[in-house]
Amino acid sequence: MHAHFAQPIQAAAAAAVAAAMAVSNTSSTSSTSEAHVSTPVHHTATKAEWMEAIEQQRLERSTLNRLIINYLVTEGFKEAAEKFAEEAGISLNNVDLTSLDERLRIREAIESGRIQDAINLINTKAPELLDQNRQLAFHLKQQHLIELIRSNLIDDALTYAQIHLAEFAEEEIKMRQELEKTMALLVFDKPLESPYGYLMQISHRQQVANEINSALLIYQNDESESDLSMLVRMATYMQDKLDQKQLRYPKLIDIAGGKLEDS
Amino acid sequence: MPSYDDDVPTQEEENLLKQLRENQEEQQRFRVITEVKNLVIGSKRCKTAFYRVGTIEILCNLLQEFSSIDTNSNDLLIEIIDCISSFAKSSNKKIVDRLMELGCIQQLFRLLSSRTDSIQLCESSLRCLRSFFLPKLSSTMFSKVDYTNPFLTPISFVLLCDQHTQKPPSLTTQTPKLVQLPSFEHYSPIEILFEIPQSLDVLLHLISVSKCAQLSIVEILCCLCVNNERQKQLVDKDFIPVIFRLLLQNISEKQQQQQNSKLCSINLTNEYIIGVCLKFLCSLCHENASIAQQLHDTISSETNQTLCEVVSSLLSKIHRPVVISYYASKFFVNLCKTKVLDADHPSVAIESLSTLIHLCTKSILNKCVYLHIECLDTLIYLLNGNSILHKNATYTEQLLNKLFTYIFTPSKVLDEQIDELLLVQIRSSALTLLAVLSSYDEEIKKRIADEENLIVTAIECYRMPHVSLQLAALRLFHGLSRSVHQLRTTFNDTICDILLDAIKSSDLDIVKISSCVISNIVLEFSTCRTRLLNGGILSILLALLTHTDHDLCINSIWALRNLSYLSTLKIKQDIINGITVDRIYSLLERCTDEQFLICLLSLLRNFFDEKDTNALLILFNEEKLLSTLQRLREKTHPEEIQRELITLIDHLNSNNNSSEQRLSSDSVGSSCRTSLFADYTCDEMDQLDCS
């Protein structure tokens, strides 16, 4: 587990090093200007130099552990967080484990298709959330509709849409379009294979679960995204910036595996 | 599909509500209320449908019943309160009014006074209370809040959008100084709260219960600052030291949290409390000089720091959430606008100004489109009347370039799709800010006017079906019209036609702004003068002289005054014939409005310039005019009026009517309104130079 999570951190450090080297090596390129076709391609470093620069970055084990715990806590993996904390000798005193538990139960309910249970749990934990965020409320109810269609309860699905989702369709065009796509699933014999089959995928449940998880974190005034996710986004952003300047550098081509491109 | 407005509960829902009405044992009741709550939360249809069958009355009765029971019914009470809280968030005014009629707010305060044993119950009650006070934003706006962005405050910011009366005037066409109280039958929640004895004491007492309670309470307090009277009531209850202490405490906790690298997750509650405390301080001193002074003089008994020092320390960098930086800036803006701080004070001219500019020009810092608009509006509020800041604001091209982007391609403000109404708001605010910036400094004026396609775009904006855009475009023309060079170059026939159209509008604000522009572009050297005269502007201005709106009357006489300056005899005669000599005499004798009188006297002065004195005096009867002016001199009028009178009398008496004896029309005094916006006089702005 340590090796699996360490790579992205090194990758982020690598991207930071690349950005610094790019700026210092290409004095003719302004840091704010866009790359032009006529700008010559500059090499920032060889792969060996790159790896050496990465090795020089001192990242303490405690920092890495904290990043991992932060990820597990933010995503709601309570058991994993507790076990890891125990092994790494980290205290979870400042973490609200009850709240984490609640978010986990909500996530599990959504990912197993028990949307009404999830709604009930959300309304207990965060009674203002679904009133304050119509989009969230819509996505949850849309998912419930999808589950009814998946179970082939067509009459129930039609009634549910009419009673609980019509108001959203009247309010906003995007929601109406989403609802139309969902209702279109009823037309197909094999909805999973239809153009809107992606709604029936398990990944759609996960998408809703992630959305709810982020919203709950913000509702309780926590960071909605783990530091690790932000680092990965930063690494991607910095690589994009370097690419725009047509700079050659050992690009991180597989963030999960920490694989660098041969330069 | 049927509209949910007409819906009544379904059969299943009716069965559930029937169980609610029945007297059952507590556990059963708990289950039923929870089910009702889960149906109501997030559903407009259920709220309306359940309201129609009297569910609110049942809930309020249950609230009352279980509040008075000694047994531990906290869990049940929380369910009831959360359900009522959901109804209170409804955008259906009838539902909220009914809750207030049933005494819900009073009941919540009774509960908060008596049942302080349970923190959860307390927090739930305060959240419910807060729901009554927060503005009911449209569902379109609600659905746009980005919950995945850590730089954005979540619900708190959207719900803490300033009350209508607290907004700078750029977005409100008429800014009422006092809250318009609803009809006698319908109190506002603010009025109800202030009528409850010791309500503020209850809130004060509960502030130490929990951080969640603190957030709710301070958010409510923000909503209470609707006018000077209410602001004073809050100050009298000593909320300033309490909130200051809360601010310091949370800043300290935030710093400790940042220093503690062992933390596995960061909670932003401290930051949100800091933000809301700052917002409260801003609301408290808004347009209230004495409270602003009090805040300025406040010192912490624990740390010996002044409040200004503490707030200034928050401006050393852009914070996350960015509302901290925004409200810290706004605090100094409010102190400046109440004249407690000078405009060139570093906290205003450097810290606040640069922070606001950063927040509305750098989308990497601020990803909230509402906050972009708020920052623009706050800049308008600050810079209007503080021309010494205009150079600072435009020192780099950063602000101006961004404003042009907002106007030309507003959808590129953020990398996301923005609602059309928001795009209109962004454009209006950006145009208005350009108008303010263009109203004083000639170089800035030229820079703005010379921007390719700006004038054409402003003309297009006027032609759009949005009043806010039309007003903003007219304001830009007004700002530019305060320049001899611009009058000779920028104002073309198209703009003239727009103004001739606008002055006949049915919208009073449009008429007023266009009259401000016209009063400048009728001057003798303006390229628009002839077209306006041919378009019948004289008769329009004469008609507006008797308008019920005071500002419009002043603008009209001001415009006539400018029209008469260095004008031909014919035009002067037309003006005199239009007003009539008798009416002029009547106004001289009876008018008590000083602004109007000054304009009238300088109008007369313009009539009797060297070449036309004899021709026009015949119409007036020189003796009668002199004696009327003399009588006027004997009254206790202010200095400007006296000066005008002396000049006029001397001029009429003197045989050597040399030009040196005449004061230039525009050095009369700053009491004649020249400011850009109706509600703000702008003493610092020089008047248009016509000498």
Side-chain angles (χ1 to χ4, degrees):
Chain A
M1 185 189 259
H2 299 295
H4 179 70
F5 284 102
Q7 295 285 4
I9 314 307
Q10 287 184 330
V17 167
M21 290 178 83
V23 170
S24 64
N25 287 346
T26 58
S27 55
S28 60
T29 312
S30 155
S31 61
T32 56
S33 65
E34 296 299 318
H36 298 283
V37 174
S38 57
T39 306
V41 170
H42 293 274
H43 287 266
T44 56
T46 62
K47 190 172 176 179
E49 287 170 345
W50 194 264
M51 293 309 297
E52 201 187 313
I54 288 176
E55 290 302 320
Q56 282 171 8
Q57 299 300 312
R58 296 195 197 289
L59 283 172
E60 292 186 8
R61 178 63 67 190
S62 59
T63 307
L64 291 176
N65 289 342
R66 191 188 62 74
L67 277 167
I68 294 165
I69 283 279
N70 173 269
Y71 173 80
L72 294 173
V73 164
T74 304
E75 297 304 317
F77 302 122
K78 184 189 171 196
E79 213 176 295
E82 281 173 330
K83 282 216 168 101
F84 185 83
E86 195 186 313
E87 283 180 25
I90 297 172
S91 163
L92 289 179
N93 284 343
N94 72 304
V95 176
D96 184 355
L97 290 171
T98 313
S99 168
L100 206 154
D101 219 9
E102 288 165 345
R103 283 192 288 115
L104 182 59
R105 286 168 62 205
I106 292 169
R107 180 187 277 282
E108 281 171 352
I110 297 172
E111 289 181 355
S112 58
R114 293 178 288 114
I115 306 302
Q116 202 51 57
D117 288 347
I119 290 175
N120 296 348
L121 289 168
I122 291 167
N123 287 339
T124 304
K125 178 177 172 52
E128 298 190 303
L129 185 64
L130 297 183
D131 270 328
Q132 289 166 337
N133 191 326
R134 296 287 285 164
Q135 195 159 287
L136 272 179
F138 172 72
H139 284 161
L140 275 169
K141 293 184 179 184
Q142 181 197 27
Q143 189 61 42
H144 185 70
L145 177 62
I146 292 168
E147 300 307 327
L148 288 171
I149 295 171
R150 194 196 307 278
S151 308
N152 215 24
L153 298 167
I154 307 302
D155 288 340
D156 289 350
L158 285 170
T159 309
Y160 185 81
Q162 199 166 12
I163 293 171
H164 295 287
L165 283 159
E167 60 179 272
F168 294 96
E170 285 174 9
E171 269 168 34
E172 203 190 299
I173 191 163
K174 270 191 185 165
M175 291 187 195
R176 186 168 75 230
Q177 287 167 347
E178 283 296 314
L179 183 58
E180 284 168 355
K181 286 177 191 171
T182 312
M183 295 302 287
L185 292 169
L186 290 165
V187 171
F188 297 93
D189 287 334
K190 294 180 183 174
L192 252 173
E193 293 169 21
S194 70
Y196 305 123
Y198 64 89
L199 292 169
M200 304 274 287
Q201 303 276 357
I202 300 301
S203 57
H204 195 262
R205 285 181 183 168
Q206 287 167 346
Q207 195 180 308
V208 175
N210 288 342
E211 194 186 345
I212 296 294
N213 190 57
S214 288
L216 286 170
L217 284 165
I218 295 179
Y219 184 85
Q220 62 193 44
N221 298 327
D222 281 328
E223 299 263 10
S224 64
E225 198 181 13
S226 65
D227 292 342
L228 208 55
S229 304
M230 272 197 263
L231 275 173
V232 169
R233 284 201 292 122
M234 268 173 65
T236 311
Y237 172 79
M238 281 190 275
Q239 287 194 146
D240 284 344
K241 284 290 177 194
L242 291 172
D243 290 342
Q244 279 170 20
K245 292 183 195 308
Q246 295 187 332
L247 296 167
R248 281 260 175 87
Y249 62 97
K251 189 171 177 175
L252 191 65
I253 51 176
D254 175 12
I255 282 185
K259 190 167 182 243
L260 294 173
E261 186 184 58
D262 284 327
S263 165
Chain B
M1 286 178 182
S3 164
Y4 64 83
D5 276 343
D6 299 326
D7 270 0
V8 290
T10 62
Q11 191 56 53
E12 267 185 55
E13 288 163 359
E14 268 289 5
N15 293 340
L16 186 65
L17 294 175
K18 192 175 160 208
Q19 291 176 54
L20 191 66
R21 292 182 201 106
E22 288 162 2
N23 202 357
Q24 299 162 328
E25 57 100 14
E26 199 169 303
Q27 209 167 5
Q28 185 69 1
R29 197 155 239 172
F30 183 91
R31 182 193 61 78
V32 170
I33 290 172
T34 304
E35 276 191 54
V36 170
K37 180 193 81 172
N38 287 329
L39 281 170
V40 167
I41 290 177
S43 172
K44 284 186 180 179
R45 185 201 68 85
C46 279
K47 286 184 181 66
T48 306
F50 289 15
Y51 155 73
R52 285 161 66 94
V53 297
T55 307
I56 287 178
E57 283 80 357
I58 298 170
L59 287 170
C60 288
N61 286 339
L62 285 171
L63 176 63
Q64 201 168 354
E65 181 189 331
F66 285 95
S67 298
S68 53
I69 290 176
D70 288 335
T71 57
N72 187 9
S73 52
N74 287 347
D75 288 344
L76 182 58
L77 270 171
I78 289 171
E79 292 298 297
I80 296 168
I81 291 168
D82 285 346
C83 199
I84 292 174
S85 186
S86 184
F87 276 108
K89 289 183 184 57
S90 172
S91 52
N92 185 333
K93 198 170 176 306
K94 288 182 194 168
I95 294 177
V96 184
D97 282 349
R98 185 66 186 135
L99 281 169
M100 288 195 287
E101 273 169 19
L102 290 168
C104 206
I105 294 177
Q106 293 89 329
Q107 185 56 44
L108 286 168
F109 268 104
R110 278 194 285 273
L111 192 63
L112 286 166
S113 315
S114 58
R115 300 278 281 262
T116 52
D117 50 322
S118 162
I119 293 177
Q120 286 82 9
L121 179 60
C122 186
E123 288 174 355
S124 180
S125 305
L126 286 170
R127 279 197 303 265
C128 185
L129 204 57
R130 183 183 69 167
S131 302
F132 284 96
F133 292 93
L134 296 172
K136 304 290 187 284
L137 298 180
S138 72
S139 59
T140 319
M141 286 174 87
F142 265 128
S143 68
K144 288 292 186 294
V145 175
D146 181 1
Y147 280 81
T148 60
N149 192 331
F151 286 95
L152 201 63
T153 50
I155 306 147
S156 304
F157 178 74
V158 175
L159 295 179
L160 286 180
C161 279
D162 287 340
Q163 292 284 330
H164 176 72
T165 52
Q166 298 301 311
K167 271 201 178 298
S170 60
L171 278 190
T172 57
T173 52
Q174 280 178 321
T175 310
K177 295 288 183 205
L178 295 172
V179 165
Q180 292 291 331
L181 285 179
S183 65
F184 182 75
E185 293 80 15
H186 299 106
Y187 274 127
S188 76
I190 296 168
E191 301 302 314
I192 293 174
L193 184 144
F194 278 104
E195 282 187 355
I196 296 170
Q198 297 171 338
S199 57
L200 295 178
D201 295 315
V202 170
L203 293 178
L204 210 52
H205 173 70
L206 291 171
I207 231 172
S208 52
V209 162
S210 70
K211 290 222 179 257
C212 177
Q214 285 166 4
L215 264 174
S216 296
I217 290 170
V218 184
E219 283 172 1
I220 293 169
L221 294 176
C222 290
C223 297
L224 299 180
C225 300
V226 287
N227 57 38
N228 290 1
E229 185 199 340
R230 297 303 186 203
Q231 289 165 331
K232 187 173 181 307
Q233 282 176 284
L234 291 169
V235 170
D236 289 345
K237 280 289 175 185
D238 284 337
F239 273 105
I240 292 179
V242 170
I243 301 300
F244 191 11
R245 211 172 302 125
L246 202 62
L247 181 67
L248 284 170
Q249 185 187 322
N250 281 278
I251 290 174
S252 168
E253 285 174 17
K254 174 177 175 269
Q255 283 165 353
Q256 278 171 24
Q257 203 175 47
Q258 281 170 349
Q259 280 159 14
N260 189 348
S261 58
K262 290 184 186 166
L263 290 175
C264 303
S265 65
I266 300 291
N267 184 271
L268 296 172
T269 307
N270 294 330
E271 281 85 342
Y272 293 135
I273 295 176
I274 293 169
V276 84
C277 286
L278 288 170
K279 166 145 177 137
F280 173 67
L281 296 171
C282 291
S283 305
L284 204 58
C285 67
H286 178 79
E287 299 288 299
N288 191 319
S290 69
I291 293 179
Q293 188 63 56
Q294 206 172 331
L295 288 175
H296 176 266
D297 299 338
T298 297
I299 301 177
S300 162
S301 52
E302 286 121 2
T303 64
N304 263 342
Q305 286 173 291
T306 64
L307 179 56
C308 288
E309 280 168 356
V310 172
V311 178
S312 179
S313 71
L314 294 171
L315 285 172
S316 58
K317 61 172 186 170
I318 301 288
H319 283 269
R320 188 178 66 182
V322 293
V323 282
I324 292 178
S325 301
Y326 171 67
Y327 283 120
S329 306
K330 197 163 178 187
F331 175 73
F332 289 116
V333 168
N334 286 358
L335 293 191
C336 174
K337 291 301 284 189
T338 48
K339 310 285 184 204
V340 169
L341 286 180
D342 290 331
D344 59 2
H345 190 282
S347 294
V348 177
I350 299 169
E351 291 172 352
S352 297
L353 184 61
S354 57
T355 300
L356 289 169
I357 290 173
H358 281 312
L359 288 178
C360 67
T361 56
K362 294 189 175 178
S363 56
I364 194 78
L365 291 175
N366 171 20
K367 294 190 182 295
C368 175
V369 67
Y370 305 108
L371 188 52
H372 274 259
I373 297 170
E374 287 288 323
C375 287
L376 289 175
D377 292 345
T378 307
L379 280 168
I380 291 166
Y381 183 55
L382 171 65
L383 295 172
N384 189 29
N386 285 307
S387 52
I388 63 169
L389 294 176
H390 291 192
K391 276 279 192 211
N392 282 17
T394 55
Y395 188 71
T396 68
E397 287 284 301
Q398 181 181 347
L399 178 62
L400 284 178
N401 279 340
K402 203 67 185 184
L403 292 177
F404 295 139
T405 305
Y406 284 149
I407 291 162
F408 298 138
T409 49
S411 54
K412 288 187 181 170
V413 171
L414 297 168
D415 291 329
E416 59 182 59
Q417 237 182 338
I418 300 175
D419 186 69
E420 205 210 314
L421 286 176
L422 280 175
L423 290 178
V424 169
Q425 267 189 277
I426 290 169
R427 291 184 98 189
S428 305
S429 297
L431 263 176
T432 307
L433 183 50
L434 276 181
V436 170
L437 288 169
S438 70
S439 62
Y440 177 70
D441 185 273
E442 195 62 39
E443 272 176 36
I444 300 174
K445 229 187 279 277
K446 191 169 184 311
R447 169 68 186 92
I448 290 171
D450 287 349
E451 178 67 17
E452 201 180 334
N453 289 329
L454 178 67
I455 300 298
V456 166
T457 307
I459 291 169
E460 278 168 17
C461 284
Y462 176 78
R463 291 189 173 133
M464 297 189 89
H466 303 283
V467 173
S468 60
L469 269 179
Q470 292 167 1
L471 284 169
L474 290 170
R475 283 178 177 133
L476 179 64
F477 297 146
H478 184 204
L480 292 173
S481 74
R482 308 178 87 241
S483 158
V484 173
H485 174 72
Q486 295 302 328
L487 286 179
R488 287 186 171 137
T489 55
T490 300
F491 287 81
N492 54 31
D493 287 349
T494 313
I495 298 177
C496 282
D497 293 341
I498 281 172
L499 291 167
L500 280 168
D501 175 70
I503 197 110
K504 296 173 210 153
S505 169
S506 54
D507 187 304
L508 182 62
D509 290 310
I510 289 181
V511 175
K512 280 161 77 164
I513 300 286
S514 56
S515 66
C516 289
V517 191
I518 287 169
S519 66
N520 289 334
I521 69 170
V522 290
L523 283 160
E524 188 263 340
F525 45 76
S526 162
T527 51
C528 293
R529 184 181 163 98
T530 309
R531 197 168 177 96
L532 284 173
L533 283 168
N534 292 342
I537 194 63
L538 182 55
S539 56
I540 296 170
L541 291 173
L542 289 167
L544 290 174
L545 266 185
T546 53
H547 200 280
T548 49
D549 186 273
H550 172 261
D551 290 344
L552 205 43
C553 289
I554 299 295
N555 284 352
S556 306
I557 189 78
W558 181 263
L560 289 170
R561 186 207 83 155
N562 282 356
L563 186 61
S564 65
Y565 184 70
L566 299 181
S567 177
T568 61
L569 179 61
K570 182 177 182 321
I571 289 174
K572 290 178 186 177
Q573 283 172 330
D574 287 343
I575 295 173
I576 293 170
N577 292 337
I579 303 177
T580 74
V581 173
D582 287 342
R583 188 146 158 250
I584 290 174
Y585 274 119
S586 170
L587 285 167
L588 285 171
E589 300 275 12
R590 296 194 183 95
C591 179
T592 52
D593 186 321
E594 285 166 8
Q595 280 183 315
F596 194 94
L597 203 48
I598 291 176
C599 291
L600 181 61
L601 289 170
S602 57
L603 174 67
L604 288 173
R605 190 155 50 82
N606 288 347
F607 285 155
F608 302 118
D609 71 2
E610 285 178 61
K611 53 186 173 65
D612 297 321
T613 308
N614 294 332
L616 294 174
L617 263 182
I618 294 167
L619 299 172
F620 278 87
N621 186 328
E622 185 178 351
E623 234 177 87
K624 184 180 177 186
L625 181 59
L626 276 168
S627 65
T628 306
L629 293 173
Q630 205 57 50
R631 276 199 300 280
L632 211 54
R633 260 215 74 200
E634 286 155 15
K635 293 182 182 173
T636 52
H637 281 300
E639 193 190 316
E640 286 101 328
I641 294 178
Q642 292 292 344
R643 217 155 47 113
E644 274 290 338
L645 285 164
I646 293 167
T647 310
L648 195 49
I649 292 168
D650 283 349
H651 185 83
L652 292 170
N653 276 329
S654 171
N655 289 325
N656 300 317
N657 295 327
S658 61
S659 59
E660 287 81 29
Q661 287 185 321
R662 287 203 309 278
L663 290 171
S664 71
S665 298
D666 291 286
S667 61
V668 168
S670 56
S671 56
C672 267
R673 194 163 29 81
T674 58
S675 74
L676 209 52
F677 302 116
D679 291 329
Y680 290 89
T681 52
C682 183
D683 294 337
E684 289 84 358
M685 286 186 178
D686 284 343
Q687 299 183 32
L688 207 57
D689 183 14
C690 296
S691 58

